[in-house]
Amino acid sequence: MLSSIGINNIHKIARKLKENPCNIVITTHHKPDGDAMGSSLGLYHFLKKYHHHITVMPPNDGGKYLHFLPAHDEVIFFEDNPEQGKNLLEQADIIFSLDYSQLSRVNEMGDIIRTCKATKIMIDHHIDPQPFSDYQLWDEHAASTCELVYHFIETLEDTDKIDATVATCLYTGIVTDTGSFRFPATTPHLHRIVAKLMETGMKHHVVQEMLFNNSSFNRLQFLGYCLSNKLKIIPEYRTAYIVVTREELEQFNIQTGETEGLVNYALSVEGVIFAALIIDRTVKVKLSFRSIGDFPANEFAGKFFRGGGHFNAAGGESEDSIEITEKRFLNALHEYAHILCPPGKNI
Ligand code: 5GP
Ligand code: MN
């Protein structure tokens, strides 16, 4: 386990951030979600107040549903222009790694971040962090990286610099990573942070509208199709899952980010404690796992699908065909029968 930033270290970094405008690159994991984009743009708007030259650069785009975030149009995606991205990383004085703590999560950017001269600051809440950064603000119990960015700003004694723009970004990541305040990591302390964010005048209802009332017609039809035709329940294992083929993605013209949340419908079936979404992506088959209670979704993902994540929300991948991946998934469930179907517990 890595330590959180020590007090001396914080002062050193705080001095650097407060006194000298410098080149900063803020990176996130690939296919950034609401927490990755919210935390990086929140930090961007905060650090701008110190006149740094800052680039937010995730490996690629996580989806249009996050384009409403303030200054999203200034974000550069590394994979759109790797040469430019490499230059930015090599010329950076400071690189932030937000919402990831393993370099495998940033694709080809990983090797460049590992070797470049910049001071590296990792702020994250995923398990098993790698020691690639100079400073870490890491807490696996934090509900979101946005919450940790709030703490980072608090540690710099700068919460008065959190305006409605910073707050909009941080609120977005908190809402998405807590399932709108439903998941167990949602604490009274987190609600107090959210109250502070709301006091900036940030329009929380607009964020909610953009996140949850902004579906394309195709996406809703795709959702209906998946729920009617693709959702499978295995009552004896209290498991539900959805398999989506490449043809189906094309048929409904589903774009990156538009399958976000689909796995939660499988989990919402009464009595289900483990849910999976298996999608045939261009290169690999991608799996998303969600669980309720004491089923270790991250252990399951790591053991069978080279993945990982949080205890109740994890993911992995497979190089097999979608049919073989589904069979492997079903076989893997047998190994967890002791948790999935203890006597008298099937649906
Ligand atoms: P999602 O299902 O939303 O893609 O991912 C849920 C969580 O699982 C992510 O926050 C991330 O922690 C983890 N995750 C997803 N895919 C992978 C993967 O391929 N490898 C690892 N290590 N973690 C993953
Ligand atoms: Mn997160």
Side-chain angles (χ1 to χ4, degrees), residues 29 33 35-36 99 124-126 143-145 177 310:
H29 58 77
D33 56 7
D35 190 31
D99 205 35
D124 184 43
H125 65 141
H126 291 93
S144 65
T145 297
D177 256 31
H310 310 282

Side-chain angles (χ1 to χ4, degrees), residues 33 102 105 126 260 263 286-290 306-310 313-317:
D33 56 7
Q102 296 184 355
R105 300 280 287 143
H126 291 93
E260 190 77 31
V263 64
K286 182 79 196 131
L287 299 100
S288 281
F289 303 113
R290 299 289 185 273
R306 285 201 319 254
H310 310 282
E317 57 190 34

Side-chain angles (χ1 to χ4, degrees), residues 146-211:
C146 282
E147 184 182 339
L148 294 175
V149 167
Y150 183 90
H151 287 309
F152 184 72
I153 297 172
E154 202 170 41
T155 311
L156 302 188
E157 298 178 353
D158 263 346
T159 47
D160 56 329
K161 289 197 162 52
I162 298 181
D163 58 15
T165 308
V166 175
T168 297
C169 299
L170 298 185
Y171 180 78
T172 297
I174 291 171
V175 168
T176 52
D177 256 31
T178 59
S180 297
F181 308 102
R182 277 181 296 136
F183 301 153
T186 308
T187 57
H189 179 63
L190 180 67
H191 279 293
R192 279 184 207 107
I193 291 176
V194 170
K196 297 239 173 66
L197 297 179
M198 288 175 75
E199 279 163 7
T200 64
M202 171 270 291
K203 294 191 166 51
H204 59 97
H205 52 283
V206 174
V207 173
Q208 298 278 352
E209 283 290 317
M210 298 311 288
L211 288 174

